[in-house]
Amino acid sequence: MDKLKSSDIQNWLLLVHQLPPKPTNLRVRVWRKLQQLGAVVVKNSIYVLPFSEKTNEDFQWLRQEIASSGGEATVFRANTVEGATDKEIVALFQRARDEDYTRVTAEFEGIAGALREQKRRGHLSPGRLANFEAEAQKLHGELDAIVAIDFFAARGRTAALSAFETCRKVMHDAQGQGGKRSGNTPGVADNVDLSQYQGRRWVTRQHLHIDRLACIWLIKRFVDRRGRFFFVANNEETKGGVAFDMFGVDLTHHGEDCSFETMLKRFGLVDDPGLCGIAEIVHDIDLKDRKFTRKEAAGLDAVVTGLAFFLKNDQRLAQQATGLFDGLYALLGRRAEKKKEKGLALAARRPTGRRGAGNQKKTAT
């Protein structure tokens, strides 16, 4: 477990509620919603989340739902929680997410094992392969949802991401090492020809957030200016389109890379400092592993989350986010230029080395 610095520990957001006996399904609905939000219980009917604008918004919506159903609920912010230390609460969050990660890891391993076995026996028909793809894609969506509520980097995340990557590779092998895919989604080689990606139909999962939004912007600005974008549910077909940030495709997470980082490498854009800066920010927001500790991550995450909540439409969100990434790209590009200019200026002011000094002495003699 990564040690949390005192500055890393946020204030806590608490939800205290009391539900009426009717409607009878309210208790189940509230419990499921709390699970989806990643909240943990510290006492009877006291649920906790680390404070942020998004978690506050989530709890406020749930409070309204409880109140509209005849129950009582209060949301408040606290520096401490009586009866539990910050370390104990963090451990509760990590334990809950580790249970989630253990489940999806086992399921990914089960899919990969079944694929290998059926392929070995020659029983892997196109229909069975399509079923495996749909199952794995749905599970990938569940993994993304777990990562989104893994507020304190639970240990099980690494194993779950590794199991996902293994399953993806086994699926790729079963599809014929880049041959025909059940959804006819074109694969992408390590070095791609951009002329083959002009005026294409680009497909990704609906309910966009940072990684997919950044990928859409990258495609529009640097890959396919005439591209059209379509957003589908996890188990929908992507036939005829270039799929990205979806299970079983090439333009998605690879190892420790998010989909945006994968695209930079696939499309030969890794030498652009502005794009590399955006990639680090997107990585920190999407994977929450603090790999680059970019200070811009929290602000961009909040803005994108707010836009998604306000617009409630993927097409409009993708359009609005374009300006955000344009501005960020210009800023980071300018920073890189200034840093380069400063480095050149410092190099020019450095005194000559020993070799130069020796040559001067020899000439004087």
Side-chain angles (χ1 to χ4, degrees), residues 150-348:
D150 182 12
F151 305 110
F152 298 100
R155 289 182 176 180
R157 183 194 298 186
T158 300
L161 293 175
S162 176
F164 157 68
E165 183 68 16
T166 298
C167 187
R168 187 195 66 80
K169 290 178 179 178
V170 173
M171 185 78 69
H172 187 270
D173 291 342
Q175 291 162 337
Q177 295 290 352
K180 185 177 179 181
R181 311 171 79 91
S182 64
N184 293 328
T185 303
V188 182
D190 286 340
N191 297 308
V192 301
D193 180 1
L194 286 181
S195 66
Q196 302 299 313
Y197 292 89
Q198 303 306 304
R200 298 297 298 272
R201 180 178 185 268
W202 298 84
V203 184
T204 191
R205 294 173 291 127
Q206 58 191 10
H207 307 306
L208 303 176
H209 195 53
I210 189 66
D211 199 10
R212 277 160 285 158
L213 285 171
C215 288
I216 291 170
W217 171 80
L218 183 73
I219 293 166
K220 286 180 176 179
R221 289 289 185 260
F222 297 91
V223 179
D224 182 7
R225 292 183 176 272
R226 296 181 294 111
R228 295 163 295 138
F229 294 88
F230 299 85
F231 312 116
V232 300
N234 279 325
N235 57 353
E236 283 188 47
E237 283 283 337
T238 61
K239 186 175 181 179
V242 181
F244 62 97
D245 199 44
M246 298 181 73
F247 187 85
V249 303
D250 287 304
L251 294 175
T252 190
H253 291 220
H254 286 266
E256 295 184 352
D257 290 345
C258 64
S259 298
F260 187 85
E261 292 171 294
T262 296
M263 283 195 178
L264 290 190
K265 294 176 180 179
R266 289 291 192 267
F267 294 119
L269 299 170
V270 294
D271 294 328
D272 188 317
L275 293 180
C276 289
I278 292 177
E280 292 181 356
I281 298 168
V282 171
H283 178 107
D284 280 354
I285 298 172
D286 191 48
L287 297 181
K288 298 180 176 64
D289 58 4
R290 302 180 184 179
K291 180 177 180 179
F292 300 106
T293 60
R294 295 291 303 224
K295 61 183 180 181
E296 305 93 341
L300 182 60
D301 188 23
V303 172
V304 169
T305 299
L307 279 175
F309 172 73
F310 176 71
L311 297 172
K312 296 181 173 65
N313 180 286
D314 283 334
Q315 290 288 357
R316 292 173 60 196
L317 178 59
Q319 293 171 0
Q320 292 290 331
T322 297
L324 291 177
F325 287 108
D326 282 342
L328 188 59
Y329 177 66
L331 175 66
L332 296 177
R334 181 55 185 151
R335 282 181 183 173
E337 289 178 7
K338 286 185 176 181
K339 185 176 181 180
K340 183 178 180 181
E341 291 170 0
K342 185 177 180 180
L344 291 174
L346 288 173

Side-chain angles (χ1 to χ4, degrees), residues 10-14 48-50 77-79 81 86 89 93 152:
Q10 300 170 284
N11 293 332
W12 303 109
L13 198 64
L14 278 64
V48 181
L49 283 173
R77 185 175 175 178
N79 293 325
V81 179
D86 286 346
I89 298 173
F93 280 103
F152 298 100

Side-chain angles (χ1 to χ4, degrees), residues 131-144:
N131 289 336
F132 278 125
E133 286 181 338
E135 186 179 351
Q137 194 163 318
K138 180 181 177 181
L139 193 59
H140 184 205
E142 293 180 22
L143 177 58
D144 281 347

